[in-house]
Amino acid sequence: MAKRATVEFVLRPFEGLPGEPDWVAMREVVPAATGTARTTAEHGSREVVVATVLPMAWPALHRADGTIMIALQQHAGSGDASRDLADLLLRALELPAGTPITSAPLPEPGPRLQDVLDLDVPFEVTVHQGFDFWTEGGTDLGPDVGPALEQMNETIIPTHRLSTVDAAYWARMGEREYLRWAVPHDEQDFLDALARLHVRRESGLGDQGAVGKFIGAFRSCGVLVPVWDLAPGTEAAELEEPVQALGGRLAEALAVEGPLDANERRARAGLVARQLTLR
């Protein structure tokens, strides 16, 4: 029996796609959102809805109204999320309308999203405050979906995407609010820049971090996602100006050339100690 070919591990699977940090954020921290994509002419120039999750944890769906949907939040995979999703997308395109893909066997080597999607189409994200987008246009997904939809809508974490910077998401978890911001920069360069700001007490949000304090970061799909703990009761709209200001300070710090000084190196070591990697 011939040995099955395996897909090689890719640390940064969404690199090269429009809106790479948003792909990562939707995969890891956003409960309900959709993004826009389109297949290449070779694959029919079909509009695709990229979703955080789909009903019954389906990996993909060719909805009855003809909409092609793929779900980002899938934890089992080949080691290359881009290849996994491209395989699902191509399979969904071949299904009759109204048919879900209910399981996702590991694919063999083949085209990736970077090969299947039109890279000139922007990845425009819409955050939803529930999962009603599953049944948009009155689409009936079967008797089991209704109870699942109601349950998930009741337990969703309120989340908003900020407009003044890219891929930054406010979320309320219980009695606390957080900002999680997927950044497109090289990780080492970003940590150097953040260390420079941290020494000057400028790594927070607002004056002296009054709106939010940096508490750590996690890494997923090769992208760093810093996290700020916000002042209790902070609403998403209140973050727009402080986050934009922080973005400006980070841009200036990223442009600085030369090594860190002793204080900045110590600050950087502390920042690194607060990181973890999500697999």
Side-chain angles (χ1 to χ4, degrees):
M1 180 181 296
K3 185 177 180 180
R4 186 180 185 277
T6 58
V7 176
E8 293 185 5
F9 174 76
V10 176
L11 176 65
R12 195 172 166 181
F14 303 121
E15 184 176 14
L17 291 177
E20 177 193 7
D22 276 311
W23 283 83
V24 176
M26 283 179 57
R27 185 174 172 87
E28 297 295 347
V29 304
V30 183
T34 52
T36 56
R38 183 188 304 137
T39 62
T40 61
E42 178 185 356
H43 296 286
S45 298
R46 294 288 300 276
E47 301 295 329
V48 179
V49 174
V50 181
T52 47
V53 294
L54 290 174
M56 318 304 290
W58 293 335
L61 168 67
H62 190 162
R63 208 165 58 183
D65 64 357
T67 301
I68 301 296
M69 307 182 78
I70 57 174
L72 274 177
Q73 294 182 15
Q74 302 178 40
H75 297 294
S78 67
D80 180 1
S82 179
R83 169 60 190 140
D84 298 341
L85 291 165
D87 180 65
L88 288 168
L89 173 55
L90 294 176
R91 290 169 56 198
L93 287 170
E94 298 299 322
L95 292 175
T99 307
I101 293 178
T102 59
S103 62
L106 296 181
E108 294 191 354
R112 308 173 70 238
L113 288 175
Q114 290 83 343
D115 306 311
V116 173
L117 295 181
D118 182 344
L119 303 184
D120 291 328
V121 174
F123 189 65
E124 297 179 352
V125 176
T126 300
V127 175
H128 305 274
Q129 300 311 309
F131 296 89
D132 299 285
F133 66 86
W134 290 347
T135 57
E136 194 172 86
T139 302
D140 183 7
L141 297 176
D144 295 331
V145 171
L149 175 61
E150 183 177 349
Q151 182 180 17
M152 291 186 71
N153 280 345
E154 289 176 353
T155 59
I156 193 170
I157 294 172
T159 303
H160 293 274
R161 184 180 188 272
L162 302 190
S163 61
T164 50
V165 297
D166 291 332
Y169 292 84
W170 169 96
R172 174 168 286 136
M173 302 179 186
E175 298 181 353
R176 301 296 303 179
E177 291 82 25
Y178 298 92
L179 173 71
R180 295 173 290 185
W181 186 1
V183 295
H185 311 292
D186 173 84
E187 180 179 326
Q188 303 309 318
D189 292 342
F190 180 83
L191 289 172
D192 284 353
L194 192 61
R196 289 188 168 99
L197 296 184
H198 205 65
V199 166
R200 305 201 305 260
R201 298 185 178 181
E202 294 181 353
S203 62
L205 296 165
D207 186 27
Q208 297 293 310
V211 178
K213 297 184 182 299
F214 174 81
I215 58 171
F218 64 88
R219 184 189 305 104
S220 178
C221 298
V223 169
L224 196 66
V225 185
V227 181
W228 285 262
D229 182 18
L230 304 179
T234 300
E235 299 293 339
E238 299 174 70
L239 280 182
E240 297 286 6
E241 186 176 336
V243 170
Q244 186 177 35
L246 175 58
R249 296 196 299 273
L250 283 167
E252 293 176 359
L254 282 162
V256 174
E257 297 182 356
L260 302 178
D261 64 25
N263 288 333
E264 291 166 344
R265 289 196 299 273
R266 282 193 291 271
R268 191 186 193 282
L271 297 175
V272 171
R274 303 187 214 179
Q275 291 184 68
L276 58 88
T277 299
L278 303 182
R279 298 295 185 186

